[in-house]
């Protein structure tokens, strides 16, 4: 039960990150349709311009900066080969800044409340 509450809280925090961070990186390329966190993995549903079906991405080995200023995803899995290659080449192991404000606050709050 506690794990599901923790996952729900992290999913809510990540929703703020989607609004402030992910949409910025995907501008002109696509949008994040769904975002969920479960069992220390992040699941994204991405709609990319020109593709009829969403791409499903699983992110694991996720690290947040202690102050909530950045997120690093070290491992990606995608259901479309070109997306897998792009994520491995351009995103895996790279740190992405989380802007100050609501998104960063949500990450820091989730970490403190949930003991992450």
């Amino acid at each position: 039960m506690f794990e599901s509450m923790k996952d729900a809280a992290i999913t809510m925090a990540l929703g703020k990150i989607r609004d402030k961070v992910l949409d910025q990186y995907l501008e002109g390329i696509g949008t994040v349709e769904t975002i969920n966190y479960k069992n220390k993995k992040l699941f994204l549903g991405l709609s990319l311009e020109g593709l009829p079906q969403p791409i499903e991405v699983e992110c694991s080995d996720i690290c947040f900066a202690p102050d909530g200023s950045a997120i690093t995803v070290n491992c990606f899995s995608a259901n479309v080969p070109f997306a897998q290659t792009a994520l491995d080449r351009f995103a895996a192991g790279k740190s992405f800044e989380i802007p100050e404000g609501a998104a960063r606050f949500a990450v820091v709050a989730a970490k403190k409340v949930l003991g992450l």
Side-chain angles (χ1 to χ4, degrees):
M1 169 117 169
F2 179 71
E3 284 299 314
S4 63
M5 289 174 44
K6 183 165 82 170
D7 290 347
I10 293 171
T11 295
M12 286 175 39
L14 290 169
K16 294 287 187 187
I17 293 172
R18 174 185 64 190
D19 296 343
K20 301 290 184 182
V21 179
L22 293 175
D23 288 344
Q24 168 190 331
Y25 287 110
L26 292 173
E27 187 175 346
I29 299 170
T31 58
V32 177
E33 297 297 325
T34 61
I35 187 167
N36 292 297
Y37 184 87
K38 186 172 185 175
N39 299 325
K40 299 184 180 181
K41 293 183 181 179
L42 176 63
F43 299 90
L44 301 170
L46 306 175
S47 291
L48 299 183
E49 300 292 327
L51 291 182
Q53 300 287 349
I55 294 175
E56 296 172 11
V57 177
E58 179 182 310
C59 311
S60 58
D61 192 7
I62 301 166
C63 302
F64 290 100
D67 64 355
S69 64
I71 183 172
T72 303
V73 178
N74 292 304
C75 186
F76 290 95
S77 177
N79 67 334
V80 177
F82 84 83
Q84 179 72 51
T85 300
L87 290 165
D88 288 342
R89 193 172 294 166
F90 300 112
K94 296 198 174 34
S95 183
F96 295 92
E97 182 182 348
I98 299 172
E100 289 189 46
R104 190 177 293 184
F105 173 78
V107 171
V108 172
K111 287 178 68 174
K112 286 186 180 190
V113 168
L114 302 170
L116 300 175

